[in-house]
Amino acid sequence: MKKVSMKKTWDKPRENTMPAAVRVPAAVVIGGVLVAPATVLAPMAGVTDTVFRRFIRNASIFTGHGRGDAGATPQIDARHLVEAPISNQQSGCGLIMTEFTSADGLSRMRESKRKRYLAYDEDEHPISAQLFGSDPLTLADAARIVEDEGFDMVDLNLGCPAKRVVSCNGGSGLLRDLPHIATIFERVRAAVRIPFTVKFRMGWSDQHIVCVELARLAQESGLNAVALHARTREQGYSGQARWEFIAAVKDAIRIPVIGNGDVRSPEDACTMIAETGCDAVMIGRAAPANPWIFRQIAQYTAFGTYNQPTSMDRYHMIRDYFVMLMEEDQNAATGGRMKQFASWFTHGLPGGAVLRKNIYEAKSSTEVLTAVDAFFAAQPTSETENEAEQLLAAGV
Ligand SMILES: Cc1cc2nc3c(=O)[nH]c(=O)nc-3n(C[C@H](O)[C@H](O)[C@H](O)COP(=O)(O)O)c2cc1C
């Protein structure tokens, strides 16, 4: 599978005027599965493997203290620091999704390989498996496999713009053929009992916008939720996501609508909810750059404010992630995974370029960790961090 480059940066930052009263909902129920809070880690090929998914869930854990109390005084103290020990734990990421998986490949794989391929950890629940393909029967077979593997939901990808996928009529290629989509919906729906959802783009091009029609079709076919990445296939990742189309889809159907596209901060998440009325927010590219985004949204919802990670937080985050990778795959350093993630995680850090260079030149996992240690040891510790560390040391 060709990897989608992460260099799909935002053309223009969105400007927010955050209406204070609107927050990300505490929960959404998708076909009987509770997603709490109503936030979703977007499927990202080459990114959202089991290690990354668990990592995001962990980075998202926050204390539920004050949650849902509209009158709660916004307050940030050491107990709410990004890396602070916390109680009453809950992950701020309500649902995670696998990278897209070929239905064709899955139905042809030997069982042992399939099990490895679809592996996930118990603490990843609720988790949705995303499939792509174009043949209704093969997709139905693959959905059954996913259900048997214990996934909580199955999702159909109608958004992937990659030429290789589109040329086989998969991903966004199918957006040009609604009757065919109807057959897929029908076959997959009949094949599984778990919630069935679809993630799509607005249409193939501005001349061929189908999202409202497609959302209605999904509802009529018994799907349990829809997720819209508010761009056309032709748009790729350019321009801004057009959230007004998420609002149009929300107006047209009763099943939950998950909004997606260009959410990079808690303010963005709340603005999307306010402007579109969508039931949940899905976040993709912001997560590798800021793995705390789900936690920040949860904090923002509870307290009206949220923490920015300190460089110590970043240090622990990078180290924890690398250790998780090494536990999973001894060759992770040379395999490039650590290098790939180092470049996202250190984006925007002063002197980050030097660290990235050292990581790229490292020849083993241990050398990568040494480079990370050396970099952060040389970072000046700010007064605020000192203060926070003192508070934590004092057990406040
Ligand atoms: C590297 C990368 C891989 C992606 N892979 C998938 C995928 O497997 N399935 C899918 O439905 N969307 C995929 N997407 C699209 C995202 O799920 C999401 O719709 C898109 O990035 C817009 O959301 P964002 O602005 O929050 O990033 C991918 C995006 C990126 C950047």
Side-chain angles (χ1 to χ4, degrees):
M1 180 68 49
K2 185 170 173 258
K3 279 193 185 148
V4 187
S5 158
M6 273 302 287
K7 285 201 189 89
K8 309 268 186 246
T9 46
W10 292 267
D11 274 8
K12 259 191 288 163
R14 178 176 293 276
E15 282 180 18
N16 274 316
T17 45
M18 153 64 185
V22 181
R23 298 282 162 82
V24 172
V28 58
V29 177
I30 298 181
V33 172
L34 180 72
V35 172
T39 51
V40 184
L41 173 65
M44 287 184 287
V47 181
T48 52
D49 61 4
T50 176
V51 178
F52 186 79
R53 296 191 304 253
R54 280 183 276 134
F55 174 69
I56 289 291
R57 269 270 162 81
N58 291 340
S60 306
I61 288 174
F62 73 108
T63 168
H65 172 75
R67 209 177 141 68
D69 176 0
T73 318
Q75 59 171 104
I76 290 297
D77 61 30
R79 282 166 297 174
H80 305 123
L81 288 170
V82 171
E83 288 295 339
I86 46 179
S87 57
N88 188 14
Q89 293 186 348
Q90 182 186 345
S91 177
C93 178
L95 178 68
I96 49 186
M97 298 181 66
T98 67
E99 317 171 51
F100 70 168
T101 304
S102 159
D104 232 23
L106 213 54
S107 56
R108 275 191 270 127
M109 260 175 217
R110 279 200 320 276
E111 198 179 331
S112 56
K113 185 166 178 200
R114 194 189 278 166
K115 285 210 179 298
R116 270 201 316 277
Y117 203 73
L118 291 176
Y120 65 90
D121 239 57
E122 273 311 301
D123 60 6
E124 290 186 52
H125 288 295
I127 179 169
S128 173
Q130 191 188 58
L131 301 174
F132 77 93
S134 63
D135 179 53
L137 290 177
T138 312
L139 278 161
D141 272 351
R144 248 179 249 119
I145 291 168
V146 157
E147 181 172 56
D148 290 347
E149 289 303 322
F151 282 90
D152 301 285
M153 302 185 200
V154 61
D155 182 75
L156 174 68
N157 177 318
L158 294 182
C160 179
K163 279 208 183 86
R164 217 171 115 185
V165 173
V166 168
S167 63
C168 314
N169 251 339
S172 60
L174 280 170
L175 293 173
R176 294 168 295 187
D177 191 351
L178 288 187
H180 188 70
I181 292 177
T183 312
I184 294 177
F185 281 172
E186 191 188 314
R187 290 292 159 94
V188 174
R189 182 63 291 174
V192 292
R193 287 179 311 277
I194 52 174
F196 171 29
T197 62
V198 61
K199 176 169 178 285
F200 51 97
R201 286 183 177 238
M202 284 152 47
W204 182 258
S205 63
D206 274 6
Q207 289 68 47
H208 196 253
I209 303 274
V210 295
C211 52
V212 168
E213 211 179 326
L214 179 45
R216 286 205 181 102
L217 180 62
Q219 177 171 282
E220 281 160 20
S221 309
L223 274 72
N224 303 95
V226 303
L228 175 63
H229 174 197
R231 285 187 172 86
T232 62
R233 191 272 174 181
E234 219 169 67
Q235 222 182 322
Y237 286 84
S238 67
Q240 267 185 1
R242 288 175 274 172
W243 291 355
E244 59 274 26
F245 286 89
I246 300 174
V249 164
K250 176 65 193 166
D251 274 352
I253 58 174
R254 294 178 310 278
I255 55 174
V257 174
I258 303 166
N260 172 234
D262 298 355
V263 171
R264 280 175 298 166
S265 65
E267 289 87 342
D268 285 345
C270 293
T271 308
M272 176 185 268
I273 298 278
E275 287 184 4
T276 70
C278 67
D279 303 278
V281 171
M282 178 186 277
I283 295 171
R285 291 165 295 171
N290 173 15
W292 298 284
I293 184 146
F294 292 102
R295 181 183 182 129
Q296 290 175 332
I297 292 173
Q299 286 181 323
Y300 194 55
T301 297
F303 307 114
T305 181
Y306 59 92
N307 302 117
Q308 292 296 349
T310 62
S311 60
M312 269 328 261
D313 293 326
R314 282 188 189 280
Y315 170 65
H316 289 303
M317 184 262 293
I318 294 177
R319 235 182 171 280
D320 287 354
Y321 181 73
F322 283 2
V323 168
M324 280 173 79
L325 268 181
M326 282 159 64
E327 280 168 5
E328 189 82 7
D329 170 10
Q330 294 303 315
N331 297 320
T334 44
R337 206 69 166 159
M338 287 165 102
K339 298 180 182 190
Q340 178 191 20
F341 278 89
S343 79
W344 300 344
F345 288 167
T346 59
H347 207 80
L349 272 189
V354 177
L355 174 59
R356 284 194 289 278
K357 182 172 171 288
N358 291 341
I359 289 176
Y360 269 87
E361 285 169 2
K363 290 184 183 63
S364 67
S365 315
T366 317
E367 271 186 44
V368 173
L369 287 181
T370 308
V372 171
D373 287 349
F375 175 80
F376 282 97
Q379 291 277 309
T381 313
S382 73
E383 267 177 41
T384 341
E385 282 176 49
N386 277 333
E387 208 175 287
E389 276 160 19
Q390 278 164 18
L391 279 171
L392 284 173
V396 179

